Amino acid sequence: MFEQSLDRFFEKNGICKIRSTSSFLKHHSVLVNGERVFDISTKIDSENDRIFVDGVQIKNKKNIYVMMNKGLGVVCSRVSDSHKTIYDFFADSIATDSNTTDSNTNFANDKNFHSCSTGLIFLTNNGSFSNFFEEPKNHLKKKYKVELEFPVSESEQKEYKEKIAKGFYIPPLKKDTGFTSKSANVEFQSQTKGTITLTEGKFRQVRRMFIQLGNNVVNLKRIEIGDIILDESLEENNWRFLTQKELETLWNQKRTIEHLSKNK
C-alpha cells in the first residue's frame, strides 16, 4: 500500500497543480472507489484505489523503486563534466518504459551522497517517498563502513565512542551550516576500520565528524538504510528493483516515524 494525498497524485499524473487542486475538486466530479471527494488532503492508495475524474479512470504512473550499489567517483545527478553519473548505469529500457518513466525523468535520490562515498542508495521516481528517507529530521538509521587514515588506539577508540555517542559541534562546510551532531554509534573492527550508525545524514556528516576527532575518512561505504541492507551480490554500480518485502518494510518505517513525530 502506497499512500499519498490526492493533490500530489493529481500533480504527478498531470491532472492539475497542487495549488489548483481545491478549485479543481469543486468544478469536476472526482470519485475514489465510487465516492465523491472534495478534500485535497484525502489519502489514497495510488496502487489499488479506483480514481475517476469526470467519468474517466486515471491510471497511476508506475513508480520505480531501485537499490543501487554506487561506485567510487559516481555522482547522484543527471549531468557531470568530470564524473560518471548514476544514469550512466541504467539501460535505455528502464528510462523509456512508458509505464514507468520517460527518458527525461530524474530519479529522486540522495543528493548529499558524495562522489567519494560508495554503497547503498535508493532511486525512485516517487519524489515524496525519496524525500522522506533522505530528510535528516526524520532520523532514519543509516549505517556505514568506515576506513580511517590514522590508526586509533584502544584508549582513543573509547574516546571516539564516547564523543560520538554524546554528540558534538560540527563547523560549517561550504553552504552547509554548522550543527551539533545527534547521538550516534561507532564500532571498531581494527585500529583503522569500523562501522558508524547515524540517524541524521547531513552534508558529508561522517567525514566532518571524524575530522573534528583529528582523523580523516579514506573510504566510506553505506551498507544500511533503515532496516534495508545492501545486497552484497550487487557489484559496484549495479542495481536491482526493491522486493515487495523491502518496500513494505520501508513503508512501515515511514508510517511509524510519522506517527511518532505527530505524537511528540
Side-chain angles (χ1 to χ4, degrees):
M1 179 173 174
F2 294 92
E3 286 187 340
Q4 61 180 307
S5 60
L6 187 63
D7 54 353
R8 292 191 179 280
F9 173 84
F10 275 4
E11 182 170 66
K12 175 189 171 186
N13 288 281
I15 306 302
C16 65
K17 297 292 186 183
I18 287 178
R19 62 178 178 272
S20 305
T21 305
S22 181
S23 175
F24 186 91
L25 292 176
K26 291 178 182 178
H27 296 94
H28 296 268
S29 173
V30 177
L31 304 180
V32 177
N33 297 326
E35 294 188 9
R36 182 79 184 268
V37 174
F38 295 96
D39 185 357
I40 64 172
S41 63
T42 298
K43 296 294 184 182
I44 61 168
D45 177 356
S46 58
E47 302 289 333
N48 299 307
D49 285 345
R50 293 176 294 108
I51 302 159
F52 287 80
V53 174
D54 295 335
V56 178
Q57 187 170 7
I58 307 301
K59 297 287 187 178
N60 186 41
K61 290 182 180 178
K62 184 178 177 182
N63 286 322
I64 297 173
Y65 301 91
V66 165
M67 168 191 294
M68 184 178 188
N69 183 10
K70 190 188 84 66
L72 189 65
V74 176
V75 297
C76 296
S77 60
R78 180 170 283 279
V79 178
S80 174
D81 293 332
S82 55
H83 296 84
K84 281 188 172 293
T85 80
I86 55 174
Y87 293 91
D88 292 327
F89 300 97
F90 285 85
D92 290 341
S93 58
I94 193 173
T96 57
D97 184 345
S98 60
N99 291 322
T100 54
T101 183
D102 57 54
S103 58
N104 292 317
T105 297
N106 285 317
F107 285 117
N109 62 82
D110 191 349
K111 299 297 191 299
N112 283 339
F113 204 52
H114 195 259
S115 63
C116 293
S117 301
T118 64
L120 178 61
I121 59 171
F122 294 148
L123 300 102
T124 176
N125 57 348
N126 183 342
S128 60
F129 186 86
S130 176
N131 289 341
F132 179 85
F133 288 101
E134 302 305 338
E135 178 56 58
K137 70 180 182 181
N138 291 322
H139 309 306
L140 190 72
K141 179 187 72 174
K142 296 176 183 178
K143 187 174 183 178
Y144 301 80
K145 286 184 179 179
V146 179
E147 182 177 358
L148 301 174
E149 180 179 7
F150 307 116
V152 183
S153 67
E154 199 168 309
S155 61
E156 289 173 325
Q157 288 179 23
K158 183 179 180 181
E159 185 180 341
Y160 275 39
K161 287 184 178 183
E162 290 175 351
K163 287 185 176 180
I164 288 173
K166 185 177 180 180
F168 52 91
Y169 181 70
I170 309 295
L173 179 65
K174 295 185 177 180
K175 294 182 180 180
D176 197 69
T177 59
F179 64 96
T180 298
S181 62
K182 294 189 178 298
S183 178
N185 180 63
V186 63
E187 297 292 338
F188 285 92
Q189 279 80 55
S190 71
Q191 289 192 333
T192 57
K193 294 182 179 180
T195 61
I196 183 168
T197 304
L198 308 175
T199 56
E200 292 179 283
K202 296 188 177 182
F203 180 66
R204 299 194 193 180
Q205 181 171 346
V206 175
R207 297 177 187 276
R208 292 162 72 183
M209 289 173 71
F210 280 103
I211 286 173
Q212 288 304 111
L213 294 171
N215 217 318
N216 294 309
V217 173
V218 293
N219 284 306
L220 184 66
K221 181 177 183 177
R222 186 158 64 193
I223 55 174
E224 292 182 30
I225 299 177
D227 292 331
I228 304 303
I229 300 172
L230 174 65
D231 185 341
E232 291 294 348
S233 70
L234 287 174
E235 296 183 0
E236 280 199 352
N237 298 317
N238 283 3
W239 60 272
R240 67 165 173 79
F241 292 109
L242 289 174
T243 65
Q244 186 62 36
K245 184 176 180 180
E246 287 169 336
L247 283 172
E248 288 172 359
T249 297
L250 287 172
W251 197 252
N252 287 335
Q253 285 183 281
K254 181 177 184 293
R255 284 187 293 189
T256 298
I257 291 172
E258 287 176 332
H259 175 74
L260 292 174
S261 179
K262 288 178 181 178
N263 288 280
K264 278 185 177 180

